[in-house]
Amino acid sequence: MGDIGRSAAGRELGMGRAISRRDFFDGVAVAAGAAALAVPGQAGTAYAAAAAPGAAAFRGGTSQALSVLHALRDGRFWQHADPPVPTGETYDLVVVGAGLSGVSAAHEWLRRHPGARVLILDNHDTAGGHAQRPGSGTTPAPATWTTEFGELLDRLGVAAAPCQECGADDSVMCDRETFPVETLVSTDAPAEGWIGRLPVADAAREDLLRLYAGPPDPFPGLAAEDKQERLAGLTYSRYLLETLRVHPDAERFVRTMPSAAWGYDTRALGAVDAWGLGYPGFAGLGLDVGKPSRYNAPTVAKEWGTTGRVAHLPGGVHGLVRAMLAEMGGRARLRLSSPVVSVRNDGPPETATAATVGYFDGHEVRSVGAGAVVLACWHAVVPYLVPDLPGDQREALSAAVKTPLVEAVVRLRNGDAWGRLGVARTRWTGAYWCMSELVRHAGDGVTARLVSAPCRSELGPVEGAAEGRRALLRTPYEALEFGARDQLARLLGAGGFDPGRDVEAVTVYRWGHGYSPEYGRPWHAFHPDGPSPAEAARRRFGRIALAGSDAAPSARADAAVSAAWRAVGELAG
């Protein structure tokens, strides 16, 4: 198992004991899964699949799945590969990427053209993409969905229900990575009732009480629009430290508030979005909370007034992918472990009526003909697949830097310790896993879900994501498993939890390229007036159109579906 697993600390946390399932989904946003989704009728959610007893496995975005793309990026692939060998196959549509957006594109194309021939290619050995993420079973309130997403659910007969167990954090672990004395504090009450129990400096307690009660207006005399513009030029951390001049302990206490949902902390989150999300410290500004600011990030503006309201999708977003594949049946061929390496228009893009797609089948590069192509993959990959794109479009595509994300699902013997402590969802202030929650399943299944946001937020969302991804890919599985077990032991030990006895399985989902980037202040000066890089990036190029959540850009499932339908509309007319 490695040095950690053999250490005394590892043995104490149960890492030396055989467990029923111990998977490492070493992947990216279009990776990870327990089984290929092409099997109609396969039930369950990502939670259940990850935690079900079975043989250990190593699946997802492994080095085998990513090595070809890395070779393309580094200019090595075509130095060794022979020219493509035509298969003789021709399809009306070829989709690159078998995630939610790619499968949605294929599904919508076949709805418009029932007799069409469709091929879906993906470099991983399983379909489903980011929909396999354990946290993909919930969506924002239905009132915020795109029209396309709502229509897709209606056609599939999927009804979302309010999620009663998917609320806000009910506790905070002021962990030893941040504060001198590790303390679990229930926050399921007015702030004045629990701030006194925080292990912070007295001045920080006073500042936190002031933040939650509403500090005086730091911008007196300014009009509302001017106040919002001031907020747009600051991160939330800078607003707290420089504008409100709170004690550093107070800033450290709130720092991880956005981490699980956004993939970075308050050092990268804009102050204007922190205001929109209802974070403390803004009441004194006197701003109208009934409507968003023009400077808010698109998702914050779209979900205005619905913070904390979420819906549960039966089977999760993963279930939507499975349902679409089952409905398409043999009309859409799914070819996995087939990384695409070349996409070309057959002739000048202005007049092309067809395209050619080359993919590596593990032995040689093969090519198929396509009447149209939808690229539902990371935008950063596209310039290597379509090298004759215009320069401004290549630059815009390369600007889509995804935020890394890690999730762990730990199957537990029971959830008794959580009940004894009276907590269900805990935010951590500085430990590796920034959020942990109890998830109960139909029947007796109980799992813990943990989320980590490796982004180096102090560097900003772009440079921080790149640096965090590099560090993540150097982190061994044993370290991630050890951290998950250790934090559960620290959180639940007082409730009688013993990781050596109570942990039955550990599954880690790792995505170096996780959340799609979203535009927001203070990092993107072009927002909201534009033009944005995504507008140039998603331009149709002959018989090639671009989908995927990067095209929105947004990490929401409905955005991925809408991007797919838009791409199909551009090609199908």
Side-chain angles (χ1 to χ4, degrees):
M1 178 173 297
D3 293 340
I4 294 177
R6 291 192 295 266
S7 68
R11 291 194 300 272
E12 184 176 343
L13 294 176
M15 291 183 66
R17 181 176 65 85
I19 54 180
S20 61
R21 185 179 177 91
R22 185 171 173 278
D23 297 345
F24 184 26
F25 290 76
D26 176 16
V28 286
V30 290
L37 298 184
V39 182
Q42 184 176 340
T45 66
Y47 283 118
F58 183 86
R59 300 188 181 123
T62 62
S63 59
Q64 290 84 354
L66 300 178
S67 60
V68 169
L69 297 181
H70 287 165
L72 277 175
R73 177 199 62 191
D74 299 338
R76 294 180 285 106
F77 181 80
W78 291 111
Q79 293 177 5
H80 305 284
D82 292 326
V85 177
T87 64
E89 299 170 281
T90 301
Y91 295 89
D92 299 290
L93 175 71
V94 173
V95 180
V96 180
L100 175 62
S101 195
V103 174
S104 295
H107 186 263
E108 174 63 9
W109 187 281
L110 285 170
R111 185 188 70 83
R112 298 184 182 210
H113 308 285
R117 283 170 46 86
V118 175
L119 174 66
I120 307 173
L121 296 164
D122 198 283
N123 57 312
H124 299 90
D125 62 1
T126 185
H130 208 188
Q132 298 259 1
R133 187 170 64 87
S136 71
T138 59
T139 72
T144 71
W145 291 348
T146 62
T147 300
E148 295 83 0
F149 190 69
E151 289 184 11
L152 175 62
L153 264 61
D154 288 343
R155 290 171 186 166
L156 295 174
V158 175
C163 188
Q164 303 299 329
E165 300 179 358
C166 306
D169 304 330
D170 59 21
S171 54
V172 175
M173 175 63 89
C174 298
D175 49 56
R176 64 194 183 203
E177 288 83 354
T178 314
F179 299 109
V181 180
E182 188 160 86
T183 307
L184 176 64
V185 178
S186 173
T187 57
D188 196 16
E192 59 268 21
W194 50 261
I195 285 178
R197 298 197 297 274
L198 300 178
V200 299
D202 291 340
R205 290 194 187 93
E206 295 176 4
D207 285 340
L208 285 168
L209 286 168
R210 182 165 55 94
L211 288 178
Y212 278 91
D217 187 349
F219 307 130
L222 291 184
E225 176 74 14
D226 295 329
K227 291 179 181 181
Q228 293 173 3
E229 188 173 2
R230 287 281 189 93
L231 294 179
L234 298 167
T235 64
Y236 185 40
S237 286
R238 285 187 58 203
Y239 172 73
L240 295 177
L241 293 170
E242 299 174 14
T243 302
L244 299 184
R245 299 185 181 279
V246 304
H247 190 282
D249 280 2
E251 185 271 336
R252 288 295 286 117
F253 174 74
V254 303
R255 182 178 289 180
T256 57
M257 289 179 72
S259 295
W262 289 83
Y264 46 71
D265 65 38
T266 58
R267 293 171 295 178
L269 181 76
V272 71
D273 288 323
W275 164 67
L277 293 168
Y279 289 4
F282 300 97
L285 289 168
L287 297 174
D288 183 1
V289 297
K291 61 180 181 180
S293 165
R294 65 187 298 268
Y295 298 109
N296 280 128
T299 290
V300 174
K302 186 176 182 180
E303 297 178 6
W304 197 265
T306 66
T307 302
R309 300 180 198 170
V310 295
H312 175 74
L313 294 174
V317 177
H318 176 215
L320 300 183
V321 175
R322 185 170 54 246
M324 286 188 286
L325 287 170
E327 187 176 287
M328 290 186 291
R331 294 183 298 160
R333 301 187 65 180
L334 180 61
R335 197 164 290 172
L336 300 171
S337 299
S338 300
V340 171
V341 296
S342 174
V343 182
R344 300 284 192 279
N345 285 296
D346 294 347
E350 298 79 11
T351 58
T353 59
T356 300
V357 178
Y359 66 93
F360 185 64
D361 68 356
H363 303 284
E364 62 183 359
V365 178
R366 312 189 76 190
S367 65
V368 297
V373 180
V374 169
L375 299 179
C377 50
W378 316 328
H379 273 191
V381 173
V382 173
Y384 302 103
L385 307 183
V386 194
D388 54 339
L389 285 168
D392 67 324
Q393 189 170 9
R394 291 172 56 84
E395 182 178 356
L397 288 160
S398 300
V401 179
K402 287 179 174 287
T403 305
L405 183 70
V406 192
E407 297 190 49
V409 175
V410 182
R411 184 176 178 86
L412 305 174
R413 191 167 59 90
N414 57 57
D416 295 349
W418 304 75
R420 296 187 189 104
L421 295 174
V423 298
R425 181 182 167 106
T426 302
R427 176 174 66 85
W428 296 68
T429 56
Y432 187 83
W433 299 98
C434 62
M435 189 277 288
S436 55
E437 67 176 341
L438 177 69
V439 181
R440 296 187 182 276
H441 309 283
D444 299 326
V446 178
T447 58
R449 173 177 170 252
L450 297 90
V451 177
S452 175
C455 177
R456 290 279 304 279
S457 299
E458 71 276 14
L459 302 177
V462 175
E463 293 183 14
E467 182 58 35
R469 177 164 48 254
R470 286 189 285 268
L472 173 61
L473 296 179
R474 293 193 300 265
T475 304
Y477 169 81
E478 288 83 0
L480 298 174
E481 180 191 2
F482 180 91
R485 288 172 173 268
D486 173 64
Q487 286 187 230
L488 287 177
R490 289 156 58 186
L491 173 68
L492 304 171
F497 179 81
D498 178 357
R501 177 195 64 211
D502 296 331
V503 171
E504 295 183 344
V506 178
T507 304
V508 176
Y509 298 76
R510 182 174 77 175
W511 295 281
H513 302 262
Y515 288 147
S516 291
E518 185 161 329
Y519 300 138
R521 293 294 192 96
W523 308 105
H524 303 106
F526 55 77
H527 177 74
D529 298 320
S532 71
E535 294 175 59
R538 64 180 177 239
R539 287 199 310 256
R540 173 181 161 182
F541 184 62
R543 297 305 296 160
I544 304 167
L546 286 93
S549 55
D550 287 354
S554 170
R556 289 175 44 136
D558 63 340
V561 172
S562 294
W565 285 27
R566 174 194 48 76
V568 168
E570 291 176 355
L571 294 166

